[in-house]
Amino acid sequence: MADMHQPIFDIDVPGMQATVNSYKPGSGLTWQQLFPLKYTPKFDLKGLEANEGIPVTADRVAFNVKAPIKSRQKVGSWSGHLGKISVSREKDELQCNEYEDLKVLSAANTEDASTARYLVDLCYDDVDFCNKAMDYRIELDSLRIGCSGEAVYKSEIDGENATDDTINFNVPSTNFKGATKVWSNAGQADGLGDIIAAQKLIKDKGLATPRFAIMEQAAFVLLQAQESTAKRLYPQAKDLTLVTSDMITLESINSYMAKLGYPQILVIDTYVTIEKKDGKTETIKPWNPNVVTLSPTPQLGWTYYKPVPLVKNTEALQVQGKYYKLTVYSEVNPTKEVTLAEAYVQAALINRSSLVFLNTAATTWNGGAS
């Protein structure tokens, strides 16, 4: 890495720390519920096996790789190293000079509060960018695990330094199922029946019984449209055309399921934007819309993290966030200011033997494909 000098912009450790502390990790994102943070002093997943029964088929952790620089207009891609995520963004020489010019103008007109506020925002906008980028990386990784039972890191999503790699959490193969009829077939599919059968599969093994069925909004819409759902909720109705869509709601379905001891449905609707190697952005859904995951609890796992140590004997400014380290420094040839976030973090499943992964778009499990 190039020499790290004091930042050019008027940013300091107390200001950085206050900005990071005011940011609530996972706020408004699904991973905070499904995969909340959990500290670990250990580096690899093998060290967690005794605690959580997490077997490992890959434990590669790459270090000493510079985080890819993000363009200022685009949000979303990260380095795709197993066990480490990072993101950085820089202000180039022109932006640094523009900032110095604005400082002169602001100093000459002390009543210009808007310029002063703009300067402060300009100092810390890259900090905010990195805060959000780290959170959305966890959203992407954890939800992909939550709907597949494994962690797959592919170069087209995880960046140019990633290689196709997999962590298999060894969920029993019998726990991956297809639908009796694809859910888009409103006249023949029985989505609630598929969920009930999946619960029975685990219950018959004497394991912790699934109490929740987690699905994307698109899958729930298909469930609402099925004739079998209307029949289950309103068995006395002689004419199903009288059962209107406003009568088949999440509340009414969950009320029916609760009365019979069946899983409650949790509906999620989440998006992330990734930046690819060519600089183009793409918005994707981390959770496969074709997959319903059944779990004994509304929590599917943990997001384990280990603090990234502070670098000694450097002029760079460094602060610790909740699960990542933030560094701000400048370089002189050419002039630039860099904001860098780094974390040692890995989402992992719990209750593995009691999880069921149901593919709603096929009658067999094929990774959740249509």
Side-chain angles (χ1 to χ4, degrees):
M1 178 179 287
D3 291 338
M4 296 188 293
H5 303 282
Q6 282 278 359
I8 298 169
F9 283 44
D10 292 330
I11 189 168
D12 55 21
V13 168
M16 285 173 58
Q17 193 68 67
T19 302
V20 170
N21 290 348
S22 66
Y23 184 79
K24 305 301 181 185
S27 179
L29 298 180
T30 305
W31 72 261
Q32 185 69 290
Q33 172 186 322
L34 300 184
F35 291 86
L37 290 167
K38 186 173 185 178
Y39 165 79
T40 176
K42 302 165 184 175
F43 245 127
D44 58 26
L45 289 179
K46 288 181 179 178
L48 300 173
E49 187 168 359
N51 295 337
E52 302 291 350
I54 301 171
V56 167
T57 57
D59 57 1
R60 174 176 55 82
V61 179
F63 295 95
N64 301 320
V65 177
K66 184 175 180 179
I69 301 299
K70 301 303 123 204
S71 59
R72 301 198 63 76
Q73 296 79 19
K74 300 170 183 176
V75 180
S77 78
W78 308 255
S79 61
H81 304 295
L82 180 61
K84 180 179 179 180
I85 62 173
S86 60
V87 64
S88 66
R89 197 162 73 157
E90 65 183 37
K91 293 180 173 75
D92 62 22
E93 189 166 2
L94 287 175
Q95 291 164 321
C96 290
N97 277 284
E98 288 171 357
Y99 176 74
E100 294 296 331
D101 292 342
L102 282 170
K103 280 207 305 181
V104 173
L105 290 173
S106 179
N109 185 3
T110 57
E111 296 180 358
D112 187 2
S114 59
T115 300
R117 181 69 252 176
Y118 178 81
L119 286 168
V120 173
D121 291 342
L122 193 60
C123 282
Y124 290 95
D125 62 351
D126 287 354
V127 173
D128 184 59
F129 172 93
C130 288
N131 286 338
K132 293 177 180 177
M134 297 298 274
D135 263 1
Y136 276 87
R137 176 69 217 194
I138 294 179
E139 183 86 336
L140 176 62
D141 282 353
S142 62
L143 267 61
R144 286 194 296 177
I145 292 170
C147 67
S148 68
E150 61 183 13
V152 180
Y153 300 90
K154 292 184 175 294
S155 56
E156 64 265 27
I157 291 179
D158 293 301
E160 61 188 47
N161 293 315
T163 56
D164 288 5
D165 206 351
T166 301
I167 303 176
N168 186 339
F169 294 105
N170 288 354
V171 175
S173 60
T174 54
N175 293 18
F176 295 88
K177 309 292 291 183
T180 305
K181 296 287 184 181
V182 297
W183 282 24
S184 58
N185 187 336
Q188 298 184 34
D190 183 6
L192 293 181
D194 289 333
I195 292 172
I196 293 166
Q199 182 193 50
K200 186 175 185 300
L201 171 71
I202 303 301
K203 190 174 184 179
D204 287 349
K205 296 179 181 180
L207 301 171
T209 303
R211 298 294 181 188
F212 298 89
I214 303 164
M215 67 182 71
E216 257 281 350
Q217 179 69 34
F220 182 70
V221 170
L222 294 178
L223 189 68
Q224 285 179 297
Q226 292 168 9
E227 292 181 7
S228 61
T229 302
K231 290 178 181 178
R232 286 179 180 275
L233 269 59
Y234 301 98
Q236 305 304 320
K238 296 181 180 179
D239 185 357
L240 290 180
T241 61
L242 300 177
V243 180
T244 59
S245 59
D246 61 338
M247 297 169 64
I248 304 177
T249 64
L250 180 62
E251 290 75 17
S252 62
I253 292 175
N254 277 339
S255 176
Y256 164 81
M257 299 290 275
K259 289 177 182 177
L260 299 174
Y262 298 145
Q264 295 289 284
I265 294 172
L266 301 180
V267 179
I268 61 176
D269 187 18
T270 183
Y271 299 83
V272 302
T273 299
I274 62 170
E275 181 182 325
K276 297 187 176 181
K277 290 185 289 185
D278 59 7
K280 296 180 180 179
T281 58
E282 179 184 2
T283 299
I284 64 174
K285 298 191 77 63
W287 189 281
N288 187 333
N290 296 334
V291 176
V292 176
T293 300
L294 281 80
S295 169
T297 68
Q299 178 184 340
L300 292 177
W302 294 104
T303 298
Y304 293 98
Y305 72 95
K306 177 179 173 62
V308 178
L310 300 179
V311 177
K312 298 179 180 179
N313 302 319
T314 177
E315 294 184 65
L317 304 184
Q318 305 170 84
V319 299
Q320 294 285 1
K322 173 62 177 177
Y323 64 89
Y324 56 89
K325 183 182 78 168
L326 193 74
T327 304
V328 179
Y329 64 93
S330 66
E331 297 178 8
V332 296
N333 186 24
T335 300
K336 68 175 68 172
E337 179 153 298
V338 180
T339 302
L340 167 68
E342 303 170 279
Y344 302 143
V345 61
Q346 177 65 56
L349 294 169
I350 57 175
N351 297 315
R352 293 172 300 107
S353 296
S354 292
L355 301 179
V356 181
F357 297 86
L358 175 64
N359 182 10
T360 67
T363 55
T364 58
W365 176 261
N366 53 7
S370 300

